[in-house]
Amino acid sequence: MSGIIGNGNLLAKVNDLGSIEYAFFPHLGYETHVLDTSFALYYNNQIKWHWDYSWDVSQSYLKDTNILKTTYENDDFLIYSKDCVSISHNLIVKHLSIINKTNSEKDVKLFFYENLRIGEAPSKNTVKFVKEKNCLIKYDKNYVFCIGSDREITSYQCGIKYSESSALRDIENGMLKEQNSATGLITDSALSWEFKIKPDQKYTLSVLILPEKYDGDYNKILNLMDTLHMAKNNLKDLYNLTRNFWKSRIDRMINKWGILKVEEYKKYIEICKRSLLTLLLLCDYKGGIIASPSLYPDYRYVWCRDAGYMAVALDLCGQHEMSEKYFEWCKTTQNSDGSWVQNYYVEGYPRFTAIQIDQVGTTIWALLVHYRITGDGHFLRRNWEMVKRAGDYLSKVANKLIPCYDLWEEKFGVFAYTLGAIYGGLKSGYLIGKELDKEEEIQHWKKSMDFLKDVVNNLYLKDEGRFAKSIKPLDESIDTSILGLSFPYGLVPVDDPRMISTANQIEKAFNYKIGGIGRYPEDIYFGGNPWIITTLWLYMYYKKLVDVLSKKGKFQKSTIDNYNKKCNNLLKWVLKHQFNGMFPEQVHKDLGIPVSAIPLGWSHAMVIMAIHSDYDILIP
């Protein structure tokens, strides 16, 4: 697996071998700084990198925290590496514990290496070892990074990669040259510590990495080195503060959920905890919520659709201030006509400016769910103008059936899912308006909703006995997103026979070797695979269908039992394909390994929504 660590300002990606690959700073998603860190032990006249094949490596998060632990073991040593970002400072901490497993004392050199490329477009930079501060600084014209330790550094090297001065070359030779500075496009550096370690003895050391905006202000470098000194002297307190912060978030979720009422779901609580902790790492301190920290594919932006689902999941887990900050972010990014563009940098600047109308509906739907959970009328009043603009926009596009890009960002037209989201947004806005006694000024929304109830009949394919993917142009394809007509947006009742038939045909359309439900049978994105969100989408539709059929009592028990069995199989498939608590976008259809972005926030949000099981609160 791999993992992410962060604090809302700074987010770092740690790969499955424990290397800190890259970090986002000063916002989540932007800018990207490639750290490319490694460490190695030099003993018995040989170098052992942590990524060497001779180590047995395992990785997991410490329980109820975003502290990632990687364990390395060979015949000689057992090493624990705990990586986290301080919740109180923009500080990455790699805490190493090295245990001698042999019967003899070992002379050891520990090396830490960095090949940091600063910013989205790396430029000429300088790396220096500052002896009086016992640390490295690396800077270009925009940013500065400070790297130090809570132990006295024995030796160092500042060089240019792919040259005679490269710190990487020195590590391979087991001795650093102690060149104290280097300037170039691709600089690198290394620090080392020498120590003796007796049998069964443990040696501990923390490597500290602090970034800061520089912009040519040398005082910022001095302040950063002072912060490093403070962190060295207070590491235990900073660590405990960070650990307790994450645990308090989990406690809030448990208090919100109580002891899960449905016995069958209790065993899934650990999955929900990890999903919540993952979502929290995707929340920028200014309110934006990025889709994923993935660079390949590049999903490190805010889509209001994805973020809307994530805000709902956060609310379900009692993290109401996080979703409120997101809606404040939405107010600042909303267009004057009431819409939002395709996606944004997390600071709020538009990235792709195409329009996907479903994102407008999702935002207002998520806002209603927030109100239903919190009962905060003041929140509604603060956000009414945003809701009003969005509702007027949705009413206009509904009446004219204005086309746009689909939720998969592939086709242009009037899509079933988009119509569902428009209806869900309008109805959510209308219910909000009623709460605020604004009914008279939004009667035209109700007319638009009635119009959509008529239009949806044009999507139905009588010969096939199911709904089409789109009209204008007509696309008769099967697509799992058609379920959005019913769940969660409620344009078509869950127990409408046409919807039931559509769902059954969606299920039968996919026959992957490993199981699961994809987007549509002809999908070629990353080869076409089952997705977490689509599999859970069908699961939640069936689950709600069982609930409705059971209450109406019109169907035989065998029919309900059959749908319950389908639900169990779908949820079992999803939970089987989590990777140490992390859910990807897709799972390889033959190999069962994660494909595309991991973690994907929308996947984690759907897991929480599915297991929480109070679906009535989700349907307008």
Side-chain angles (χ1 to χ4, degrees):
M1 82 161 271
S2 58
I4 54 175
I5 53 177
N7 66 359
N9 257 73
L10 169 64
L11 186 149
K13 173 73 180 298
V14 182
N15 70 13
D16 55 1
L17 293 176
S19 292
I20 304 172
E21 287 188 331
Y22 56 83
F24 300 134
F25 180 83
H27 292 281
L28 304 194
Y30 190 83
E31 292 190 36
T32 304
H33 310 278
V34 178
L35 274 75
D36 194 15
T37 67
S38 301
F39 70 88
L41 295 187
Y42 185 82
Y43 65 97
N44 297 341
N45 294 318
Q46 60 179 345
I47 194 77
K48 289 285 186 184
W49 290 96
H50 70 96
W51 38 258
D52 187 277
Y53 69 92
S54 63
W55 296 100
D56 289 326
V57 182
S58 60
Q59 196 172 61
S60 63
Y61 282 98
L62 298 187
K63 183 177 172 61
D64 295 350
T65 75
N66 277 320
I67 300 170
L68 186 65
K69 179 181 179 181
T70 309
T71 301
Y72 311 84
E73 187 169 11
N74 65 11
D75 293 337
D76 301 314
F77 291 98
L78 175 63
I79 302 175
Y80 300 110
S81 174
K82 295 179 183 177
D83 295 286
C84 69
V85 174
S86 169
I87 206 65
S88 59
H89 294 78
N90 294 322
L91 165 67
I92 300 172
V93 180
K94 176 178 279 293
H95 180 73
L96 296 169
S97 299
I98 303 166
I99 301 169
N100 182 359
K101 291 174 53 182
T102 71
N103 296 321
S104 60
E105 185 176 73
K106 296 288 187 183
D107 289 313
V108 178
K109 287 183 181 179
L110 170 65
F111 293 99
F112 180 81
Y113 172 78
E114 65 80 17
N115 181 213
L116 170 62
R117 278 88 79 195
I118 301 172
E120 297 288 316
S123 59
K124 187 176 181 181
N125 63 81
T126 297
V127 60
K128 291 183 178 181
F129 183 73
V130 184
K131 289 187 179 181
E132 58 271 23
K133 296 292 186 177
N134 198 43
C135 68
L136 286 164
I137 57 168
K138 188 166 187 174
Y139 58 93
D140 66 3
K141 61 184 178 180
N142 297 316
Y143 295 94
V144 57
F145 284 72
C146 182
I147 304 174
S149 171
D150 61 342
R151 295 264 189 177
E152 191 70 22
I153 294 166
T154 306
S155 189
Y156 56 88
Q157 172 63 8
C158 301
I160 306 292
K161 196 172 183 181
Y162 310 117
S163 76
E164 290 293 327
S165 67
S166 172
L168 184 63
R169 179 173 297 190
D170 282 4
I171 292 174
E172 292 287 353
N173 295 329
M175 183 172 292
L176 304 181
K177 297 189 184 76
E178 299 195 347
Q179 177 176 307
N180 63 10
S181 69
T183 298
L185 183 60
I186 307 179
T187 62
D188 65 358
S189 68
L191 301 173
S192 73
W193 300 263
E194 294 183 33
F195 54 92
K196 294 180 183 293
I197 184 168
K198 295 178 180 179
D200 297 322
Q201 186 179 7
K202 179 167 69 174
Y203 178 86
T204 63
L205 176 146
S206 293
V207 178
L208 313 177
I209 305 173
L210 299 93
E212 184 56 273
K213 289 282 288 180
Y214 175 42
D215 300 325
D217 184 353
Y218 188 69
N219 287 323
K220 290 185 177 181
I221 294 180
L222 298 178
N223 291 338
L224 199 59
M225 290 190 291
D226 288 341
T227 303
L228 173 65
H229 180 73
M230 178 280 300
K232 289 178 185 179
N233 295 331
N234 295 277
L235 264 184
K236 185 176 180 180
D237 290 339
L238 293 174
Y239 178 85
N240 288 337
L241 180 66
T242 300
R243 180 193 61 190
N244 292 338
F245 173 84
W246 295 120
K247 287 182 177 292
S248 71
R249 292 287 181 169
I250 292 299
D251 289 344
R252 189 187 302 179
M253 171 187 165
I254 298 302
N255 290 336
K256 182 74 176 178
W257 287 27
I259 298 174
L260 288 176
K261 295 178 182 178
V262 184
E263 191 70 28
E264 64 179 293
Y265 290 128
K266 288 185 180 179
K267 59 187 175 183
Y268 304 136
I269 191 65
E270 294 302 320
I271 290 292
C272 290
K273 287 180 182 179
R274 178 51 48 200
S275 287
L276 169 61
L277 288 166
T278 301
L279 291 180
L280 289 170
L281 288 176
L282 303 182
C283 296
D284 188 78
Y285 74 104
K286 287 193 173 181
I289 307 175
I290 64 171
S292 173
S294 167
L295 294 178
Y296 310 104
D298 190 356
Y299 286 178
R300 55 201 168 102
Y301 310 100
V302 182
W303 279 262
C304 290
R305 176 194 314 107
D306 297 49
Y309 281 98
M310 288 188 270
V312 166
L314 290 167
D315 271 322
L316 291 173
C317 294
Q319 317 297 315
H320 307 311
E321 77 281 10
M322 305 303 291
S323 55
E324 286 192 22
K325 285 177 70 175
Y326 168 65
F327 291 119
E328 289 294 325
W329 180 93
C330 290
K331 280 202 293 190
T332 66
T333 54
Q334 187 181 33
N335 295 325
S336 59
D337 67 355
S339 68
W340 286 272
V341 299
Q342 185 173 345
N343 59 26
Y344 296 83
Y345 293 97
V346 76
E347 306 98 304
Y349 303 118
R351 176 175 173 255
F352 288 161
T353 56
I355 295 294
Q356 295 175 289
I357 300 169
D358 69 275
Q359 303 208 57
V360 183
T362 299
T363 302
I364 306 309
W365 163 78
L367 196 145
L368 173 67
V369 175
H370 175 84
Y371 170 69
R372 285 177 167 178
I373 292 172
T374 64
D376 185 353
H378 181 60
F379 166 80
L380 287 190
R381 289 188 289 274
R382 288 202 317 271
N383 288 284
W384 172 245
E385 289 304 318
M386 177 176 72
V387 174
K388 178 67 166 57
R389 284 195 297 270
D392 285 342
Y393 174 83
L394 291 172
S395 178
K396 179 183 70 175
V397 298
N399 296 339
K400 296 181 178 180
L401 291 182
I402 293 177
C404 66
Y405 284 98
D406 69 340
L407 80 163
W408 308 131
E409 303 182 344
E410 295 176 339
K411 294 185 176 182
F412 195 79
V414 177
F415 298 93
Y417 176 79
T418 304
L419 292 177
I422 293 172
Y423 178 85
L426 278 170
K427 189 171 182 182
S428 296
Y430 190 80
L431 293 172
I432 291 169
K434 286 181 68 175
E435 287 290 326
L436 298 176
D437 295 322
K438 305 286 187 181
E439 234 175 317
E440 289 187 11
E441 61 185 85
I442 56 173
Q443 283 304 306
H444 57 297
W445 297 1
K446 197 169 187 303
K447 292 180 181 178
S448 298
M449 286 187 277
D450 291 337
F451 174 70
L452 289 173
K453 287 180 180 179
D454 289 334
V455 167
V456 77
N457 296 319
N458 298 331
L459 274 166
Y460 186 66
L461 307 169
K462 290 184 180 179
D463 292 342
E464 286 78 11
R466 59 173 172 80
F467 288 104
K469 179 173 180 173
S470 74
I471 51 176
K472 293 179 62 177
L474 177 64
D475 185 342
E476 299 184 359
S477 302
I478 287 177
D479 191 306
T480 305
S481 68
I482 298 169
L483 293 171
L485 286 173
S486 180
F487 189 89
Y489 300 121
L491 175 55
V492 177
V494 171
D495 60 339
D496 185 315
R498 300 174 300 173
M499 198 70 233
I500 295 173
S501 176
T502 300
N504 289 334
Q505 291 186 54
I506 287 171
E507 180 186 2
K508 292 175 183 176
F510 300 98
N511 189 28
Y512 299 118
K513 178 180 177 181
I514 65 161
I517 303 297
R519 299 191 299 174
Y520 48 89
E522 303 80 17
D523 192 6
I524 59 171
Y525 184 53
F526 282 91
N529 301 292
W531 286 43
I532 299 296
I533 61 171
T534 48
T535 306
L536 285 173
W537 212 333
L538 186 60
Y539 165 83
M540 286 190 278
Y541 169 78
Y542 279 154
K543 201 72 178 174
K544 184 58 184 173
L545 177 63
V546 167
D547 178 57
V548 171
L549 297 182
S550 299
K551 288 177 180 176
K552 290 188 174 182
K554 294 182 179 179
F555 287 77
Q556 294 181 350
K557 183 177 181 298
S558 59
T559 300
I560 293 175
D561 287 345
N562 181 51
Y563 280 118
N564 272 324
K565 184 178 179 181
K566 291 174 184 284
C567 288
N568 291 336
N569 290 337
L570 290 166
L571 184 59
K572 184 178 179 180
W573 183 89
V574 168
L575 299 183
K576 178 183 177 182
H577 293 97
Q578 54 86 19
F579 302 88
N580 220 346
M582 309 289 273
F583 287 96
E585 178 184 73
Q586 307 173 42
V587 181
H588 194 283
K589 59 190 173 187
D590 297 318
L591 304 177
I593 59 176
V595 175
S596 187
I598 182 172
L600 183 73
W602 192 0
S603 295
H604 284 275
M606 293 287 267
V607 167
I608 289 171
M609 289 165 59
I611 292 175
H612 185 273
S613 77
D614 184 1
Y615 297 167
D616 287 339
I617 206 169
L618 302 177
I619 300 176

